[in-house]
Every structure is written in C-alpha cells, then in structure tokens.
Amino acid sequence: MQIRFTKMQGAGNDFVVLDETRGRLGLSTAQYRFLADRHFGVGADQILTVRPSPAEGIDFEYVIHNADGGEVEQCGNGARCFARFVHDKGLSAKDTIRVLTQGGVIAPRLTPDGRVTVDMGRPQFEPAQVPFDATGLTPVAQGSGQKWPLALDGKAPVATVLVAVASMGNPHAVQLVDNVDTAPVQETGPLIERHARFPQRVNAGFLQIVDRAHVRLRVFERGTGETLACGTGACAAVVSGIRLGLLDPEVQVDTRGGRLTIAWSGADTDSVFMTGPATTVFEGQIDIPDTLL
C-alpha cells in the first residue's frame, strides 16, 4: 500500500501526518508502528490522522497513535501541527478550528507570529479521573495541590518519588527535580510509565523550576519514550507547579526541542492555553507492507 504523508515537528516533537478526509486508510497497529520506525519507516514520535467532521460544530476529528502503534487520547504539540496542516493544505480557512480528540474537544488557533495557540481544556486532578489508583496512599499537601508517594522497584535510583498527578486529556505524573540534565529520566521514566497505579500507563514528567515564570522540562512519554518536547506534559507540569504554589499564571517552558508558553489562571474551571511552533519538515510517499508482525 502506498500512502502520502507530511512530516512535521513542534519544538522537536516530530510527527507523521496523514490525511483521511477523503477516505480511511485502514492502517493496522503494526503499520502505524512501521511508519513511526526511524530505521524502516518515516520516523516519528506520533502518527497524526486528520479525519472529517464527526458532528455539527466540530471541524475535524484528530486521531493520535504513539510510536508503539497504540492509540492515545491527546497530543498537544501534535495539535499545533494538526492546525498548521489543515490550514496549509487548504482544508480549512479558519484561524481557529474545533477538533474532536479521544480526550475531548480542543481549539487550536493560528497566531499572527506564525505560532499556534491551543485551548487544551481544563486539567483534571482527581486521581480517578487521571486515572491513578491512590488506594492506601497519603498525599503530601502543598499550596492547593498534592504530591503522591510512588514506590518504585529495585531498579530505580530511589525507592520512592513524589509525583503530582494530572490529566490533560491524557495521564501525567510530574516530579520536581533539581536539574533536568542530571535527572534519572531513562532509569525511572519507564518504571513510572508502567507503574501498576496507573491503569492506562502514564507520561512521566521531570520538572526543574528556574523561577516563577520559567521552567525546564523533560518527559518520558507513554508508548514512545523520552521526546524532545511534550505539549500535554508541559501543560501538566505548569498546572501542577501553579497548584503547588511555585509558578505564576504564565510560564515559559524550555524543552530539549524548544520553548513553549503555557498559561492557566489556576481555577479548576478554566482552560489551559499552550502556544508554540509548528513546522512542516517534508512531504513524501511511502510503500507500507500489507503484512507486518
């Protein structure tokens, strides 16, 4: 099967974007995995699919598959690339579009400076909504937020880490670190991602606070591994820092792939807004094997 694709990136988080507005490609989990493979396929952190409006008041459906082929609820950096793609391809002339994801409706908006702002919706902090199994745990209260003790297995550098849990349409566990450069992302990231207390697995964030308006962040993403940037991870890290009383309502987030701006009022009823770049890298056509393991 030959398909056309567009390779895009947002702050170094890279994507293969597929247009299914004229018909479904019907790809299997293995074929999504093939596309994401950096040796045999195109190479990407996630595969983003553009589908037609599923309902009145919605412009498009946005489907996300991780590099392991599994479908996930949300991808913030991908949402910016999604908006840039449909605009550049002439699929929509709107500056703001309403997009249905598995995690809810989002509204990316193209800004005059070429960046894209995304209304990421309201964060969720109740453990059951993340979801996070807090049975038997006693949280550490700080500000208006909480940090939960998470016991790790013997492979970890430490026996227990304190994490703030949040959902931005997908689950996140954020821990504070002194320096992201020396944080044990590769050692503890996989242990947190697949921890039994997160029934849908989790994105593990490592947050260094520089000052109240500036942080540094690394994220070990569920089903992908560490990426150069994670949009929902940046949102989860900032809202967690605000609730813990450590950050202002607007924060510059430096990831290894670039800078994102995250804004949140601190009110549980208000949306989180993320602004950052979205760039087309190249376009092409690839032959995907019909049968893959």
Side-chain angles (χ1 to χ4, degrees), residues 5-168:
F5 67 88
T6 299
K7 178 71 179 282
M8 302 188 74
Q9 62 90 10
N13 201 182
D14 65 335
F15 311 99
V16 168
V17 186
L18 305 176
D19 183 353
E20 288 189 348
T21 57
R22 297 175 181 85
R24 299 287 179 92
L25 295 170
L27 300 183
S28 67
T29 298
Q31 287 172 323
Y32 284 116
R33 204 160 50 234
F34 175 85
L35 278 172
D37 191 283
R38 298 187 185 278
H39 299 285
F40 298 101
V42 181
D45 294 323
Q46 280 92 19
I47 311 299
L48 314 180
T49 303
V50 184
R51 291 180 180 170
S53 168
E56 187 175 351
I58 302 295
D59 295 301
F60 297 97
E61 184 179 5
Y62 167 34
V63 180
I64 308 126
H65 288 83
N66 273 343
D68 65 358
E71 187 175 349
V72 293
E73 307 92 339
Q74 186 58 277
C75 175
N77 288 326
R80 297 199 315 276
C81 289
F82 185 102
R84 172 65 60 197
F85 177 88
V86 299
H87 186 271
D88 290 353
K89 291 296 184 182
L91 299 175
S92 175
K94 298 178 180 178
D95 288 334
T96 300
I97 56 174
R98 287 177 56 79
V99 181
L100 178 66
T101 74
Q102 193 183 100
V105 177
I106 58 172
R109 174 174 58 87
L110 278 72
T111 63
D113 65 4
R115 298 191 299 168
V116 180
T117 295
V118 185
D119 178 344
M120 296 295 294
R122 295 179 295 177
Q124 303 288 341
F125 303 103
E126 287 298 321
Q129 295 174 327
V130 173
F132 171 63
D133 178 9
T135 305
L137 298 181
T138 301
V140 177
Q142 182 176 333
S144 62
Q146 298 171 318
K147 294 185 289 188
W148 296 88
L150 194 68
L152 303 179
D153 69 21
K155 299 176 185 177
V158 294
T160 303
V161 294
L162 289 173
V163 296
V165 299
S167 173
M168 288 303 311

Side-chain angles (χ1 to χ4, degrees), residues 225-255:
E226 184 179 6
T227 56
L228 292 177
C230 175
T232 56
C235 293
V238 169
V239 300
S240 297
I242 290 172
R243 277 170 52 89
L244 295 172
L246 303 173
L247 297 175
D248 290 339
E250 183 171 305
V251 178
Q252 305 301 319
V253 181
D254 285 336
T255 71

Side-chain angles (χ1 to χ4, degrees), residues 174-208:
V174 180
Q175 63 177 292
L176 298 172
V177 298
D178 293 330
N179 187 332
V180 290
D181 293 329
T182 56
V185 176
Q186 298 301 326
E187 292 79 15
T188 62
L191 303 178
I192 296 171
E193 178 204 4
R194 296 182 177 275
H195 198 284
R197 288 191 178 272
F198 295 97
Q200 296 178 11
R201 295 189 290 165
V202 73
N203 300 288
F206 299 77
L207 174 66
Q208 173 189 344

Side-chain angles (χ1 to χ4, degrees), residues 211-233:
D211 58 46
R212 293 191 62 86
H214 180 202
V215 302
R216 301 175 68 206
L217 179 70
R218 291 171 66 183
V219 179
F220 191 95
E221 289 198 50
R222 176 183 58 167
T224 300
E226 184 179 6
T227 56
L228 292 177
C230 175
T232 56

